[in-house]
Amino acid sequence: IGGITLDGISKRYDNGLQAIDTVDLALPAGSFTSIVGPSGCGKSTLLRIIAGLVEPSTGRCLRGAGTPAFVFQEPALLPWRTVEGNVRLLMELEDWATSDCRARAAEVQRQVGLGGFERAYPHELSGGMRMRLSLARALALRPDLLLLDEPLAAVDELTRDLLQEQLSQLWQGAGFTAVLVTHNVHEALFLSERVVVMAPRPGRVVRVFDVPFAFPRA
Ligand code: ADP
Ligand code: ADP
């Protein structure tokens, strides 16, 4: 569950731009892969294809069954809901019992370091805290696949270090497959077991390497 196979994936947008050319990639279930490369090399497009949000022009994306979750650089939070209200949103949409929502919200809020902020509103939070909230919301439904598009690009360096540590621990303690798009090679090496390097015009995978000092999973 959560494993993904990309088989000869290309994407040409409607305006004729070839964003991705013939990408083959296997992401084993439970693995943590980073996609790095310069702006415009097709990282986001590839992530959206993996997510099923964008259809490839050619090739196949085979996805194991399971729940995907997304975290973007700019978390879309509901301003009229508290932290807890935002975390509970997807559980409520899935008709979870109120007591289950409450218990799971408390659990993920603690896991991402949001304890004590349950009653705050998004506008009262720092960028780092909003990212924690976005992460908590994504994790609430126990996804099998976590897709992260530059989640830490907009937070300050100290917060980034803390969040990288937290994200690493979350991944080690859970079973999900993670795919991270980032400009930050340091972040890719710290977090992932495998780094995929892309180059632009057209977007291609030019290197794939395993991170030799990757954390073993718990
Ligand atoms: P990255 O995430 O590496 O910056 P993207 O996947 O966002 O790369 O973009 C790859 C290329 O495809 C870029 O040239 C970008 O301008 C183009 N592109 C992205 N989305 C669209 C779209 N919806 N329509 C047309 N071109 C797009
Ligand atoms: P990033 O580099 O962080 O992926 P971009 O600025 O390339 O972000 O893209 C932001 C949004 O604009 C994305 O939704 C992308 O699909 C879209 N986009 C990018 N380039 C184009 C384009 N040439 N035509 C239409 N949409 C585009």
Side-chain angles (χ1 to χ4, degrees):
I1 293 175
I4 292 152
T5 306
L6 302 176
D7 188 7
I9 295 279
S10 299
K11 176 65 187 179
R12 181 186 288 274
Y13 282 108
D14 292 341
N15 62 2
L17 190 132
Q18 182 84 25
I20 289 185
D21 184 34
T22 333
V23 169
D24 297 303
L25 214 51
L27 311 172
S31 60
F32 198 135
T33 304
S34 290
I35 303 172
V36 303
S39 197
C41 70
K43 303 184 295 295
S44 297
T45 300
L46 192 61
L47 197 71
R48 280 174 216 170
I49 288 171
I50 291 169
L53 296 173
V54 164
E55 273 301 306
S57 309
T58 60
R60 290 183 310 164
C61 174
L62 304 175
R63 232 176 275 107
T67 316
F70 309 92
V71 176
F72 298 105
Q73 185 178 324
E74 281 306 323
L77 303 169
L78 297 181
W80 59 87
R81 280 192 166 218
T82 62
V83 164
E84 191 190 341
N86 272 280
V87 172
R88 286 170 60 157
L89 180 70
L90 295 180
M91 296 183 270
E92 289 171 9
L93 290 175
E94 295 278 315
D95 281 328
W96 285 33
T98 305
S99 58
D100 293 344
C101 285
R102 197 173 294 137
R104 181 62 182 156
E107 187 175 33
V108 286
Q109 283 164 180
R110 184 173 39 72
Q111 282 176 344
V112 303
L114 271 176
F117 286 84
E118 295 85 349
R119 302 267 156 264
Y121 285 87
H123 74 269
E124 298 174 294
L125 302 176
S126 65
M129 285 313 224
R130 280 203 294 275
M131 188 44 65
R132 289 174 198 272
L133 173 49
S134 177
L135 204 50
R137 185 180 54 178
L139 292 170
L141 295 186
R142 297 189 177 85
D144 301 292
L145 176 62
L146 185 64
L147 302 168
L148 305 142
D149 196 348
E150 297 275 9
L152 305 180
V155 300
D156 66 82
E157 219 169 323
L158 176 61
T159 305
R160 189 181 305 147
D161 285 351
L162 292 169
L163 282 171
Q164 281 174 5
E165 185 63 42
Q166 211 133 25
L167 190 54
S168 182
Q169 279 171 16
L170 283 165
W171 172 72
Q172 288 171 63
F176 57 80
T177 308
V179 185
L180 168 74
V181 162
T182 179
H183 279 98
N184 188 331
V185 174
H186 179 92
E187 185 172 296
L189 291 171
F190 178 79
L191 281 169
S192 50
E193 299 171 294
R194 209 184 201 198
V195 179
V196 172
V197 184
M198 295 185 72
R201 290 184 294 278
R204 284 204 176 111
V205 173
V206 291
R207 290 269 192 292
V208 178
F209 59 91
D210 293 324
V211 181
F213 44 84
F215 285 108
R217 288 203 78 140

